[in-house]
Coordinates of all heavy atoms in Angstrom, one line a residue:
M6 N 171.0 50.5 31.8 CA 169.8 50.4 32.5 C 169.4 51.8 33.1 O 169.3 51.9 34.3 CB 169.9 49.5 33.6 CG 170.1 48.1 33.2 SD 169.5 47.2 34.7 CE 168.6 46.0 33.9
A7 N 169.2 52.7 32.3 CA 168.8 54.0 32.8 C 167.3 54.0 32.9 O 166.6 53.6 32.0 CB 169.2 55.1 31.8
K8 N 166.9 54.4 34.0 CA 165.4 54.4 34.3 C 164.9 55.8 34.0 O 165.5 56.8 34.3 CB 165.1 54.1 35.7 CG 165.4 52.6 36.1 CD 164.9 52.3 37.4 CE 165.2 50.9 37.8 NZ 164.7 50.5 39.1
D9 N 163.8 55.9 33.3 CA 163.2 57.2 33.1 C 162.4 57.6 34.3 O 161.5 57.0 34.7 CB 162.2 57.1 31.8 CG 161.6 58.4 31.5 OD1 162.2 59.5 31.9 OD2 160.6 58.4 30.7
L10 N 162.8 58.8 34.8 CA 162.1 59.3 36.0 C 161.1 60.3 35.7 O 160.6 61.1 36.6 CB 163.1 59.8 37.0 CG 164.1 58.8 37.6 CD1 165.2 59.5 38.4 CD2 163.5 57.7 38.4
G11 N 160.7 60.4 34.5 CA 159.7 61.4 34.1 C 160.2 62.7 33.6 O 159.5 63.6 33.3
F12 N 161.6 62.8 33.5 CA 162.2 64.0 33.0 C 162.3 64.2 31.5 O 162.5 65.2 31.0 CB 163.6 64.2 33.6 CG 163.6 64.3 35.1 CD1 164.2 63.3 35.9 CD2 163.1 65.4 35.7 CE1 164.2 63.4 37.3 CE2 163.1 65.5 37.1 CZ 163.7 64.5 37.9
S13 N 162.0 63.1 30.8 CA 162.1 63.2 29.4 C 160.8 63.8 28.8 O 160.8 64.2 27.6 CB 162.3 61.8 28.8 OG 161.3 60.9 29.1
K14 N 159.7 63.8 29.5 CA 158.5 64.4 29.0 C 158.5 65.9 29.1 O 159.1 66.5 30.0 CB 157.3 63.9 29.9 CG 157.1 62.4 29.8 CD 155.9 62.1 30.7 CE 155.7 60.6 30.7 NZ 154.6 60.2 31.5
K15 N 158.0 66.5 28.0 CA 157.9 68.0 28.0 C 156.7 68.4 28.7 O 155.6 67.9 28.6 CB 157.9 68.5 26.6 CG 159.1 68.1 25.8 CD 159.9 69.3 25.3 CE 161.1 68.8 24.5 NZ 161.9 69.8 24.2
L16 N 156.8 69.5 29.5 CA 155.7 70.0 30.2 C 155.0 71.1 29.4 O 155.6 71.8 28.7 CB 156.2 70.7 31.5 CG 156.8 69.8 32.6 CD1 157.3 70.7 33.8 CD2 155.7 68.8 33.1
D17 N 153.7 71.0 29.5 CA 152.8 72.0 28.8 C 152.7 73.2 29.7 O 152.0 73.2 30.7 CB 151.5 71.4 28.4 CG 150.6 72.4 27.7 OD1 151.1 73.4 27.1 OD2 149.4 72.2 27.7
L18 N 153.3 74.3 29.3 CA 153.3 75.5 30.1 C 152.4 76.6 29.5 O 152.6 77.8 29.9 CB 154.8 76.1 30.3 CG 155.7 75.1 31.0 CD1 157.1 75.8 31.1 CD2 155.2 74.8 32.4
T19 N 151.5 76.3 28.7 CA 150.6 77.3 28.1 C 149.7 77.8 29.2 O 149.2 77.0 30.0 CB 149.8 76.7 27.0 OG1 149.1 75.6 27.4 CG2 150.7 76.4 25.8
G20 N 149.5 79.0 29.3 CA 148.7 79.6 30.3 C 149.4 79.8 31.7 O 148.8 80.3 32.6
F21 N 150.7 79.5 31.7 CA 151.4 79.7 32.9 C 151.9 81.1 33.0 O 152.5 81.6 32.0 CB 152.6 78.7 33.0 CG 153.5 79.0 34.2 CD1 153.1 78.6 35.5 CD2 154.7 79.7 34.0 CE1 153.9 78.9 36.5 CE2 155.5 79.9 35.1 CZ 155.2 79.5 36.3
E22 N 151.6 81.8 34.1 CA 152.2 83.1 34.3 C 152.7 83.2 35.7 O 152.0 82.7 36.6 CB 151.1 84.2 34.1 CG 150.6 84.3 32.7 CD 149.6 85.4 32.5 OE1 149.5 86.3 33.4 OE2 148.9 85.4 31.5
P23 N 153.8 83.8 35.9 CA 154.3 83.9 37.3 C 153.4 84.8 38.1 O 152.7 85.7 37.6 CB 155.7 84.5 37.2 CG 155.8 85.0 35.8 CD 154.7 84.3 35.0
R24 N 153.3 84.5 39.4 CA 152.5 85.3 40.3 C 153.1 86.7 40.5 O 154.3 86.9 40.5 CB 152.4 84.7 41.7 CG 151.5 83.5 41.8 CD 151.4 83.0 43.2 NE 152.0 81.7 43.2 CZ 152.4 81.1 44.3 NH1 152.2 81.7 45.5 NH2 152.9 79.9 44.3
K25 N 152.2 87.7 40.6 CA 152.7 89.0 40.8 C 153.1 89.1 42.2 O 152.6 88.5 43.1 CB 151.6 90.0 40.5 CG 151.2 90.1 39.0 CD 150.1 91.1 38.8 CE 149.7 91.1 37.3 NZ 148.7 92.1 37.0
A26 N 154.2 89.9 42.4 CA 154.7 90.1 43.8 C 153.6 90.8 44.6 O 153.0 91.7 44.2 CB 156.0 90.9 43.8
A27 N 153.5 90.3 45.8 CA 152.5 90.9 46.7 C 153.0 92.3 47.1 O 154.1 92.5 47.3 CB 152.3 90.0 48.0
E28 N 152.0 93.2 47.2 CA 152.4 94.5 47.6 C 152.8 94.5 49.0 O 152.1 94.0 49.9 CB 151.2 95.5 47.4 CG 150.8 95.7 45.9 CD 149.6 96.7 45.8 OE1 149.5 97.5 46.7 OE2 148.9 96.5 44.8
T29 N 154.0 95.1 49.3 CA 154.5 95.1 50.6 C 154.1 96.3 51.3 O 154.1 97.4 50.7 CB 156.0 94.9 50.6 OG1 156.6 95.9 49.8 CG2 156.4 93.5 50.0
D30 N 153.9 96.3 52.6 CA 153.6 97.4 53.4 C 154.9 98.2 53.6 O 155.9 97.6 53.9 CB 153.0 97.0 54.7 CG 152.4 98.1 55.5 OD1 152.3 99.2 55.0 OD2 152.0 97.9 56.7
A31 N 154.8 99.5 53.6 CA 156.0 100.3 53.7 C 156.5 100.5 55.1 O 157.6 100.9 55.4 CB 155.7 101.7 53.1
S32 N 155.6 100.0 56.1 CA 156.0 100.2 57.5 C 157.1 99.1 57.8 O 157.1 98.0 57.3 CB 154.8 100.0 58.4 OG 154.3 98.7 58.3
P33 N 158.0 99.5 58.8 CA 159.0 98.5 59.2 C 158.3 97.2 59.8 O 157.2 97.3 60.3 CB 159.8 99.3 60.2 CG 159.4 100.7 60.1 CD 158.1 100.7 59.4
P34 N 159.0 96.1 59.7 CA 158.4 94.9 60.2 C 158.1 94.9 61.7 O 157.2 94.3 62.2 CB 159.5 93.8 59.9 CG 160.7 94.5 59.6 CD 160.3 95.9 59.2
G35 N 158.8 95.7 62.5 CA 158.6 95.8 63.9 C 157.2 96.5 64.2 O 156.6 96.2 65.2
E36 N 156.8 97.3 63.3 CA 155.5 98.0 63.5 C 154.3 97.1 63.6 O 153.5 97.2 64.4 CB 155.3 99.1 62.4 CG 156.3 100.2 62.3 CD 156.0 101.2 63.4 OE1 154.9 101.4 63.8 OE2 157.0 101.8 63.8
K37 N 154.3 96.1 62.7 CA 153.2 95.1 62.7 C 153.2 94.3 63.9 O 152.2 94.0 64.5 CB 153.3 94.2 61.4 CG 153.0 94.9 60.2 CD 153.1 94.0 59.0 CE 152.8 94.6 57.7 NZ 152.9 93.7 56.6
A38 N 154.4 93.9 64.4 CA 154.5 93.0 65.6 C 154.1 93.8 66.8 O 153.4 93.3 67.7 CB 156.0 92.5 65.7
A39 N 154.5 95.1 66.8 CA 154.1 96.0 68.0 C 152.6 96.2 68.0 O 152.0 96.1 69.1 CB 154.8 97.3 67.9
E40 N 152.0 96.3 66.8 CA 150.6 96.5 66.8 C 149.8 95.3 67.2 O 148.9 95.3 68.0 CB 150.2 96.9 65.3 CG 148.7 97.2 65.2 CD 148.4 97.6 63.7 OE1 149.2 98.4 63.1 OE2 147.3 97.2 63.3
R41 N 150.3 94.1 66.8 CA 149.7 92.8 67.3 C 149.8 92.6 68.8 O 148.9 92.1 69.4 CB 150.3 91.7 66.5 CG 149.8 91.5 65.1 CD 150.3 90.2 64.5 NE 151.7 89.9 64.6 CZ 152.6 90.2 63.7 NH1 152.2 90.7 62.5 NH2 153.9 89.9 63.8
A42 N 150.9 93.1 69.3 CA 151.2 92.9 70.8 C 150.4 94.0 71.6 O 150.4 93.9 72.8 CB 152.7 93.0 71.1
G43 N 149.9 95.0 70.9 CA 149.1 96.0 71.7 C 149.9 97.2 72.2 O 149.4 97.9 73.0
F44 N 151.1 97.4 71.6 CA 151.9 98.5 72.1 C 151.3 99.8 71.5 O 150.7 99.8 70.4 CB 153.3 98.4 71.6 CG 154.1 97.4 72.3 CD1 154.4 96.1 71.8 CD2 154.6 97.6 73.6 CE1 155.1 95.2 72.5 CE2 155.3 96.7 74.3 CZ 155.5 95.5 73.7
V45 N 151.4 100.9 72.3 CA 150.8 102.2 71.9 C 152.0 103.1 71.5 O 153.0 103.1 72.2 CB 150.0 102.8 73.0 CG1 149.4 104.1 72.6 CG2 148.9 101.8 73.4
S46 N 151.9 103.9 70.5 CA 152.9 104.8 70.1 C 153.2 105.8 71.1 O 152.3 106.3 71.8 CB 152.6 105.4 68.8 OG 153.5 106.4 68.4
R47 N 154.5 106.2 71.3 CA 154.8 107.2 72.3 C 155.1 108.5 71.6 O 155.5 109.5 72.2 CB 156.1 106.8 73.0 CG 155.8 105.7 74.0 CD 157.0 105.4 74.8 NE 156.8 104.3 75.7 CZ 157.7 103.8 76.5 NH1 158.9 104.3 76.5 NH2 157.4 102.8 77.3
E48 N 154.8 108.6 70.3 CA 155.0 109.8 69.5 C 154.0 110.9 70.0 O 152.9 110.6 70.4 CB 154.8 109.6 68.0 CG 155.9 108.7 67.5 CD 155.7 108.4 66.0 OE1 154.8 109.1 65.4 OE2 156.4 107.6 65.4
P49 N 154.5 112.1 70.1 CA 153.6 113.2 70.7 C 152.4 113.4 69.7 O 152.5 113.3 68.5 CB 154.5 114.4 70.7 CG 155.6 114.1 69.8 CD 155.8 112.6 69.8
V50 N 151.3 113.7 70.4 CA 150.1 114.0 69.6 C 149.9 115.5 69.5 O 150.1 116.2 70.4 CB 148.8 113.4 70.3 CG1 147.6 113.7 69.6 CG2 149.0 111.9 70.5
E51 N 149.6 115.9 68.3 CA 149.4 117.4 68.1 C 148.1 117.8 68.7 O 147.1 117.2 68.5 CB 149.4 117.7 66.6 CG 149.2 119.1 66.3 CD 149.2 119.4 64.8 OE1 149.5 118.5 64.0 OE2 148.8 120.5 64.4
R52 N 148.2 118.9 69.5 CA 147.0 119.4 70.1 C 146.4 120.5 69.2 O 147.2 121.3 68.7 CB 147.3 120.0 71.5 CG 147.6 119.0 72.5 CD 147.8 119.6 73.8 NE 147.7 118.6 74.8 CZ 146.9 118.6 75.8 NH1 146.1 119.7 76.0 NH2 146.8 117.6 76.7
V53 N 145.1 120.5 69.1 CA 144.4 121.5 68.3 C 144.0 122.6 69.2 O 143.4 122.3 70.3 CB 143.2 120.8 67.6 CG1 142.4 121.9 66.8 CG2 143.7 119.7 66.7
A54 N 144.2 123.8 68.8 CA 143.8 125.0 69.6 C 142.3 125.1 69.6 O 141.6 124.9 68.5 CB 144.4 126.2 69.1
R55 N 141.7 125.4 70.7 CA 140.2 125.6 70.8 C 139.9 126.9 70.3 O 140.5 127.9 70.6 CB 139.8 125.4 72.2 CG 138.3 125.6 72.4 CD 137.9 125.3 73.9 NE 136.6 125.8 74.1 CZ 136.1 126.3 75.2 NH1 136.9 126.4 76.2 NH2 134.8 126.6 75.2
K56 N 138.8 127.0 69.5 CA 138.3 128.3 69.0 C 137.2 128.7 69.9 O 136.3 128.0 70.1 CB 137.8 128.2 67.6 CG 138.9 127.9 66.6 CD 138.4 127.9 65.2 CE 139.5 127.6 64.2 NZ 139.1 127.5 62.8
R57 N 137.3 129.9 70.4 CA 136.3 130.4 71.3 C 135.1 130.9 70.5 O 135.3 131.5 69.4 CB 136.9 131.6 72.2 CG 138.0 131.2 73.0 CD 137.6 130.4 74.2 NE 138.7 130.0 75.0 CZ 138.6 129.5 76.2 NH1 137.5 129.2 76.7 NH2 139.7 129.2 76.9
K58 N 133.9 130.7 71.1 CA 132.7 131.2 70.4 C 132.6 132.7 70.4 O 132.1 133.3 69.5 CB 131.5 130.6 71.1 CG 131.4 129.1 70.9 CD 130.2 128.5 71.6 CE 130.1 127.0 71.4 NZ 129.0 126.4 72.1
N59 N 133.0 133.3 71.5 CA 132.9 134.8 71.6 C 134.3 135.3 72.0 O 135.1 134.6 72.6 CB 131.8 135.2 72.5 CG 132.0 134.6 73.9 OD1 133.0 134.1 74.3 ND2 130.9 134.7 74.7
E60 N 134.5 136.6 71.8 CA 135.7 137.2 72.2 C 135.7 137.9 73.5 O 136.6 138.7 73.9 CB 136.1 138.2 71.1 CG 136.3 137.6 69.7 CD 137.5 136.6 69.8 OE1 138.5 136.9 70.4 OE2 137.4 135.5 69.1
E61 N 134.6 137.7 74.3 CA 134.5 138.3 75.6 C 135.5 137.8 76.5 O 135.8 136.6 76.5 CB 133.1 138.1 76.1 CG 132.8 138.8 77.4 CD 131.3 138.6 77.8 OE1 130.6 138.0 77.1 OE2 131.0 139.0 79.0
P62 N 136.2 138.6 77.4 CA 137.2 138.1 78.3 C 136.5 137.2 79.3 O 135.4 137.3 79.7 CB 137.8 139.3 78.9 CG 136.9 140.5 78.6 CD 136.1 140.0 77.4
F63 N 137.3 136.3 79.9 CA 136.8 135.3 80.9 C 137.4 135.7 82.2 O 138.4 136.3 82.4 CB 137.3 133.9 80.5 CG 136.5 133.2 79.4 CD1 136.8 133.5 78.1 CD2 135.5 132.3 79.7 CE1 136.0 133.0 77.1 CE2 134.8 131.7 78.7 CZ 135.0 132.0 77.4
D64 N 136.6 135.3 83.3 CA 137.0 135.5 84.6 C 136.6 134.2 85.4 O 135.9 133.4 84.8 CB 136.3 136.7 85.3 CG 137.0 137.1 86.6 OD1 138.0 136.5 86.9 OD2 136.5 138.0 87.2
T65 N 137.1 134.0 86.5 CA 136.8 132.8 87.3 C 136.0 133.2 88.5 O 136.3 134.1 89.2 CB 138.2 132.1 87.8 OG1 138.9 131.9 86.6 CG2 137.9 130.8 88.5
A66 N 135.0 132.4 88.8 CA 134.2 132.6 90.0 C 134.2 131.2 90.8 O 133.7 130.2 90.2 CB 132.8 133.0 89.6
Y67 N 134.7 131.2 91.9 CA 134.7 130.0 92.8 C 133.4 130.1 93.6 O 133.1 131.0 94.3 CB 135.9 130.0 93.7 CG 137.2 129.9 92.9 CD1 137.9 131.0 92.6 CD2 137.6 128.7 92.4 CE1 139.1 130.9 91.8 CE2 138.8 128.6 91.6 CZ 139.5 129.7 91.4 OH 140.6 129.6 90.6
V68 N 132.6 129.0 93.5 CA 131.3 129.0 94.2 C 131.4 127.9 95.3 O 131.8 126.7 95.0 CB 130.2 128.6 93.2 CG1 128.9 128.5 93.9 CG2 130.2 129.7 92.1
R69 N 131.0 128.3 96.5 CA 131.0 127.3 97.6 C 129.5 127.0 97.8 O 128.7 127.9 98.1 CB 131.6 127.9 98.8 CG 131.8 126.9 99.9 CD 132.7 127.6 101.0 NE 132.5 127.0 102.2 CZ 133.3 126.0 102.7 NH1 134.3 125.6 101.9 NH2 133.0 125.4 103.8
A70 N 129.1 125.8 97.6 CA 127.7 125.4 97.6 C 127.5 124.0 98.2 O 128.5 123.2 98.1 CB 127.0 125.5 96.3
P71 N 126.4 123.6 98.7 CA 126.1 122.3 99.1 C 126.3 121.3 98.0 O 126.1 121.6 96.8 CB 124.7 122.2 99.6 CG 124.3 123.7 99.9 CD 125.2 124.5 98.9
I72 N 126.8 120.1 98.3 CA 127.0 119.0 97.3 C 125.8 118.8 96.5 O 125.9 118.6 95.3 CB 127.5 117.7 98.0 CG1 128.9 118.0 98.5 CG2 127.5 116.6 97.0 CD1 129.5 116.8 99.2
S73 N 124.6 118.8 97.1 CA 123.4 118.5 96.3 C 123.2 119.6 95.2 O 122.8 119.2 94.1 CB 122.2 118.5 97.3 OG 122.0 119.8 97.9
V74 N 123.5 120.8 95.5 CA 123.4 121.9 94.5 C 124.4 121.7 93.4 O 124.1 121.8 92.2 CB 123.5 123.3 95.1 CG1 123.5 124.4 94.1 CG2 122.4 123.5 96.1
I75 N 125.7 121.4 93.8 CA 126.7 121.2 92.8 C 126.4 120.0 91.9 O 126.6 120.0 90.7 CB 128.1 121.1 93.5 CG1 128.5 122.3 94.3 CG2 129.2 120.7 92.5 CD1 128.7 123.5 93.4
N76 N 125.9 118.9 92.5 CA 125.5 117.7 91.8 C 124.4 118.1 90.8 O 124.4 117.6 89.6 CB 125.1 116.6 92.7 CG 126.3 116.0 93.4 OD1 127.4 116.1 92.9 ND2 126.0 115.3 94.4
R77 N 123.4 118.9 91.2 CA 122.4 119.2 90.2 C 122.9 120.0 89.0 O 122.5 119.9 87.9 CB 121.3 120.0 90.9 CG 120.4 119.2 91.8 CD 119.4 119.9 92.7 NE 118.8 121.0 92.1 CZ 118.4 122.1 92.8 NH1 118.7 122.2 94.1 NH2 117.8 123.1 92.2
L78 N 123.9 120.9 89.3 CA 124.5 121.7 88.3 C 125.3 120.8 87.3 O 125.2 120.9 86.1 CB 125.5 122.8 88.8 CG 126.3 123.5 87.8 CD1 125.4 124.4 86.9 CD2 127.3 124.4 88.5
K79 N 126.0 119.8 87.9 CA 126.8 118.9 87.0 C 125.9 118.0 86.2 O 126.1 117.8 85.0 CB 127.7 118.0 87.9 CG 128.9 118.8 88.5 CD 129.7 117.9 89.3 CE 130.9 118.7 89.9 NZ 131.8 117.8 90.7
I80 N 124.8 117.6 86.8 CA 123.8 116.8 86.0 C 123.2 117.6 84.9 O 123.1 117.1 83.7 CB 122.7 116.2 86.9 CG1 123.3 115.1 87.9 CG2 121.5 115.6 86.2 CD1 122.4 114.7 89.0
Y81 N 122.8 118.9 85.2 CA 122.3 119.8 84.1 C 123.3 119.9 83.0 O 122.9 119.9 81.8 CB 121.9 121.1 84.8 CG 121.4 122.1 83.8 CD1 120.1 122.0 83.3 CD2 122.2 123.1 83.3 CE1 119.6 122.9 82.4 CE2 121.7 124.1 82.4 CZ 120.4 124.0 82.0 OH 119.9 124.9 81.1
C82 N 124.6 120.1 83.4 CA 125.6 120.3 82.3 C 125.8 119.1 81.5 O 126.0 119.1 80.3 CB 126.9 120.8 83.0 SG 126.8 122.5 83.6
N83 N 125.8 117.9 82.2 CA 126.0 116.6 81.5 C 124.8 116.4 80.5 O 125.0 115.9 79.4 CB 126.2 115.5 82.4 CG 127.5 115.5 83.2 OD1 128.5 116.1 82.7 ND2 127.5 114.8 84.3
D84 N 123.6 116.7 81.0 CA 122.4 116.4 80.1 C 122.4 117.4 78.9 O 121.9 117.0 77.9 CB 121.2 116.6 81.0 CG 121.0 115.5 82.0 OD1 121.7 114.4 81.9 OD2 120.2 115.6 82.9
T85 N 122.8 118.6 79.1 CA 122.7 119.6 78.0 C 123.9 119.7 77.2 O 123.9 120.3 76.1 CB 122.4 121.0 78.6 OG1 123.4 121.4 79.5 CG2 121.0 121.0 79.3
G86 N 125.1 119.2 77.7 CA 126.3 119.3 77.0 C 127.0 120.7 77.1 O 127.9 121.0 76.4
M87 N 126.5 121.5 78.1 CA 127.0 122.8 78.3 C 128.2 122.8 79.3 O 128.3 121.9 80.1 CB 126.0 123.7 78.9 CG 124.8 124.0 78.0 SD 123.7 125.2 78.9 CE 122.4 125.2 77.7
S88 N 129.1 123.8 79.2 CA 130.1 124.0 80.2 C 129.5 124.7 81.4 O 128.3 125.1 81.3 CB 131.2 124.9 79.6 OG 130.8 126.2 79.4
Y89 N 130.2 124.7 82.5 CA 129.6 125.4 83.7 C 129.3 126.9 83.4 O 128.3 127.4 83.8 CB 130.6 125.3 84.9 CG 130.8 123.9 85.4 CD1 132.0 123.6 86.0 CD2 129.9 122.9 85.2 CE1 132.2 122.3 86.5 CE2 130.1 121.6 85.6 CZ 131.3 121.3 86.3 OH 131.5 120.1 86.8
G90 N 130.2 127.5 82.6 CA 129.9 128.9 82.3 C 128.7 129.1 81.4 O 127.9 130.0 81.6
E91 N 128.6 128.2 80.4 CA 127.4 128.3 79.5 C 126.1 128.0 80.3 O 125.1 128.7 80.1 CB 127.5 127.3 78.4 CG 128.6 127.6 77.4 CD 128.9 126.5 76.4 OE1 128.7 125.3 76.8 OE2 129.4 126.8 75.3
A92 N 126.2 127.0 81.2 CA 125.0 126.7 82.0 C 124.6 127.9 83.0 O 123.4 128.2 83.1 CB 125.3 125.5 82.9
L93 N 125.6 128.5 83.5 CA 125.4 129.7 84.4 C 124.7 130.8 83.6 O 123.7 131.4 84.0 CB 126.7 130.2 85.0 CG 126.5 131.4 85.9 CD1 125.6 131.2 87.1 CD2 127.9 131.9 86.4
A94 N 125.2 131.1 82.4 CA 124.6 132.1 81.6 C 123.2 131.7 81.2 O 122.3 132.6 81.2 CB 125.4 132.3 80.3
E95 N 122.9 130.5 80.9 CA 121.6 130.0 80.5 C 120.6 130.1 81.7 O 119.5 130.6 81.6 CB 121.6 128.6 80.0 CG 120.3 128.0 79.6 CD 119.6 128.7 78.4 OE1 120.3 129.4 77.7 OE2 118.4 128.5 78.3
L96 N 121.1 129.7 82.9 CA 120.2 129.8 84.1 C 119.9 131.2 84.4 O 118.8 131.5 84.9 CB 120.8 129.0 85.2 CG 120.9 127.5 85.0 CD1 121.8 126.8 86.1 CD2 119.6 126.8 84.9
L97 N 120.9 132.1 84.3 CA 120.6 133.5 84.6 C 119.7 134.1 83.6 O 118.8 134.9 83.9 CB 121.9 134.3 84.6 CG 122.9 134.0 85.8 CD1 124.2 134.7 85.6 CD2 122.2 134.5 87.1
R98 N 119.8 133.7 82.3 CA 118.9 134.2 81.3 C 117.5 133.7 81.6 O 116.5 134.5 81.5 CB 119.3 133.7 79.9 CG 118.5 134.3 78.7 CD 118.8 133.5 77.4 NE 118.4 132.1 77.4 CZ 117.1 131.7 77.3 NH1 116.1 132.5 77.3 NH2 116.9 130.4 77.3
K99 N 117.3 132.5 82.0 CA 116.0 131.9 82.3 C 115.4 132.6 83.5 O 114.2 132.8 83.7 CB 116.0 130.4 82.6 CG 116.2 129.6 81.3 CD 116.2 128.1 81.6 CE 116.3 127.3 80.3 NZ 116.3 125.9 80.6
A100 N 116.2 133.0 84.5 CA 115.8 133.7 85.7 C 115.5 135.2 85.4 O 114.9 135.9 86.2 CB 116.8 133.6 86.8
G101 N 115.8 135.7 84.2 CA 115.5 137.0 83.8 C 116.5 138.0 84.4 O 116.2 139.2 84.5
L102 N 117.7 137.5 84.7 CA 118.8 138.4 85.2 C 119.8 138.7 84.2 O 120.2 138.0 83.4 CB 119.4 137.7 86.4 CG 118.4 137.5 87.6 CD1 119.2 136.7 88.7 CD2 117.9 138.8 88.2

C-alpha cells in the first residue's frame, strides 16, 4: 500500500536557470548598520590648501568702531561675498583713495 506522494512525476525544468548571485557590497557589514544608525566617520578629513589670488604680503589691522558701523561692514561683506580685506580695498577704491 504505497501511496504516491507526487514524487514519481518528472518535473519539466526547461527554461530553468539558477539566479545569479547578487553583487555584494565590499564594505564591511558594520558600515551599513552604522550608516543607518546615523553614525559619522571619525576618520580625518584632508584639508585643501587655499590658493591666494595675489602674492602681496598680508598684515592685520584691528579696527575699533561702533557696532552699527561693524554691522554695516558685515552686511556688505555677506551681500557681496567679499572678505573684510577685499571689502576694505573695494571701499577705498570707490572713495578714490
Side-chain angles (χ1 to χ4, degrees):
M6 291 203 137
K8 292 187 179 179
D9 183 17
L10 299 176
F12 294 113
S13 62
K14 295 181 184 178
K15 300 243 180 187
L16 295 176
D17 180 21
L18 298 178
T19 55
F21 173 78
E22 291 182 21
R24 284 186 248 163
K25 293 182 181 180
E28 293 183 25
T29 58
D30 192 5
S32 63
E36 294 285 331
K37 290 182 181 179
E40 186 177 319
R41 283 192 306 264
F44 287 104
V45 180
S46 173
R47 292 184 180 177
E48 294 179 10
V50 177
E51 180 182 347
R52 288 185 163 235
V53 177
R55 179 178 169 212
K56 292 183 180 179
R57 300 285 180 171
K58 293 181 183 177
N59 56 16
E60 297 298 321
E61 188 176 351
F63 283 80
D64 195 5
T65 304
Y67 296 97
V68 178
R69 191 170 158 92
I72 291 178
S73 61
V74 174
I75 298 295
N76 285 341
R77 286 173 38 214
L78 174 65
K79 289 180 179 181
I80 290 169
Y81 179 77
C82 291
N83 288 339
D84 290 345
T85 61
M87 294 182 188
S88 68
Y89 295 155
E91 292 169 336
L93 177 62
E95 178 66 18
L96 293 171
L97 289 171
R98 185 191 64 76
K99 286 182 178 180
L102 300 174

